[in-house]
Amino acid sequence: MKTTASGTTLFQLTQLGAINCYLVREDDGFTLIDTASSGQAQPIIQAAAKLGLPIVRIVLTHAHSDHVGSLDALHAALPTAQVAISERDARFLTGDQSLDPSEPQTRLHGGYPICQTKPTLLLHEGDRIGSLEVIATPGHTPGHISFLDTRNRSLIVGDAFQTLGGVAVAGTIKPLFPLPALATWNKDLCLASARKLLALQPSVLSVGHGRMLNQPQAAMERAIHILERALAHEHEHEHEHEERKASHVA
Ligand SMILES: [Zn+2]
């Protein structure tokens, strides 16, 4: 895996030029954010060893296969490391793909593999795990979360944004790398979550797919406007469709 540093506390590990996970340096070792696809446990452990610290925590932004793929192998190799995910996306790890009645009933997309590993900690908005604050950012998946490093405001957002093929909010199709958009559950929630992330005034945007971006706020704002316009257009069409249906009935 390719290792790219951002300052002295954040390291991006990249599989096949397209799939990222992150090591965040803490006093007691590394927190690993996401686990890439399957087969990456040893490369991830080796990357951490090369940087001189063990992995003591594994946290997950969401339950898609390119983020939890090496979870079971990592847990087997690092059985004492804490494993944390949002309470909502933890359900996917058990094979439960039901939606709650309170959630938008849009269809789930993307792969949600069953994992043998049981999380040791279920995360919620505002929780702290080491230096990281949990930010609830539903939309790409129902329980998607992001992490704000409170030491330097670097933000690790999983698939809430992407930068590969251009900066985009989850749900906006980027022809050069459309996968995150195609795996997205609910675009309206993605938009609300993207606004919430921008309001945190991040110093670095670190995504699941694509390079890290320094001083990302202008690019995030542009990406938000693009999805806003696309959704306004979609909703207008839905509205017209509803009206046509209603006039037919009348
Ligand atoms: Zn995803």
Side-chain angles (χ1 to χ4, degrees), residues 61-67 109-111 140-141 144 158-159 179-180 183-184 209:
T61 58
H62 64 295
H64 275 151
S65 54
D66 52 339
H67 297 257
H109 296 283
H140 180 68
T141 67
H144 189 289
D159 288 353
L179 287 180
T184 289
H209 307 284

Side-chain angles (χ1 to χ4, degrees), residues 135-140 144 160-161 169 188-198 224:
I135 317 292
T137 47
H140 180 68
H144 189 289
F161 279 85
V169 178
D188 292 299
L189 289 177
C190 284
L191 180 60
S193 291
R195 288 178 178 140
K196 184 177 176 185
L197 290 170
L198 174 62
I224 287 168

Side-chain angles (χ1 to χ4, degrees), residues 4-187:
T4 310
S6 169
T8 55
T9 52
L10 180 62
F11 301 88
Q12 181 190 60
L13 309 182
T14 306
Q15 174 195 2
L16 299 171
I19 299 171
N20 300 323
C21 56
Y22 292 88
L23 292 168
V24 176
R25 190 192 295 275
E26 299 280 4
D27 290 339
D28 59 348
F30 279 123
T31 298
L32 173 69
I33 303 180
D34 290 336
T35 70
S37 302
S38 60
Q40 299 305 306
Q42 285 313 315
I44 289 170
I45 290 170
Q46 281 160 17
K50 225 169 154 183
L51 293 167
L53 285 176
I55 294 169
V56 293
R57 281 172 292 272
I58 301 168
V59 303
L60 302 161
T61 58
H62 64 295
H64 275 151
S65 54
D66 52 339
H67 297 257
V68 304
S70 290
L71 174 62
D72 283 344
L74 280 162
H75 179 60
L78 307 166
T80 58
Q82 194 173 39
V83 176
I85 185 170
S86 73
E87 182 167 22
R88 178 64 188 88
D89 265 26
R91 263 167 49 193
F92 292 119
L93 302 180
T94 69
D96 174 1
Q97 295 199 14
S98 62
L99 292 170
D100 289 333
S102 60
E103 288 170 340
Q105 300 297 302
T106 40
R107 252 184 65 194
L108 292 166
H109 296 283
Y112 291 90
I114 294 174
C115 295
Q116 302 307 316
T117 305
K118 299 273 166 286
T120 54
L121 182 64
L122 297 177
L123 298 172
H124 304 93
E125 166 85 7
D127 287 350
R128 280 286 288 269
I129 181 154
S131 303
L132 302 175
E133 184 182 332
V134 175
I135 317 292
T137 47
H140 180 68
T141 67
H144 189 289
I145 51 177
S146 301
F147 299 96
L148 178 71
D149 192 323
T150 52
R151 297 170 294 190
N152 53 22
R153 303 201 79 70
S154 61
L155 191 58
I156 299 98
V157 303
D159 288 353
F161 279 85
Q162 70 180 75
T163 64
L164 190 59
V167 179
V169 178
T172 304
I173 292 203
K174 285 287 181 187
L176 291 176
F177 193 72
L179 287 180
L182 298 177
T184 289
W185 167 61
N186 187 278
K187 289 189 260 187

Side-chain angles (χ1 to χ4, degrees), residues 215-226:
Q215 304 307 326
Q217 293 173 36
M220 290 170 77
E221 216 173 304
R222 279 195 298 274
I224 287 168
H225 284 152
I226 287 169

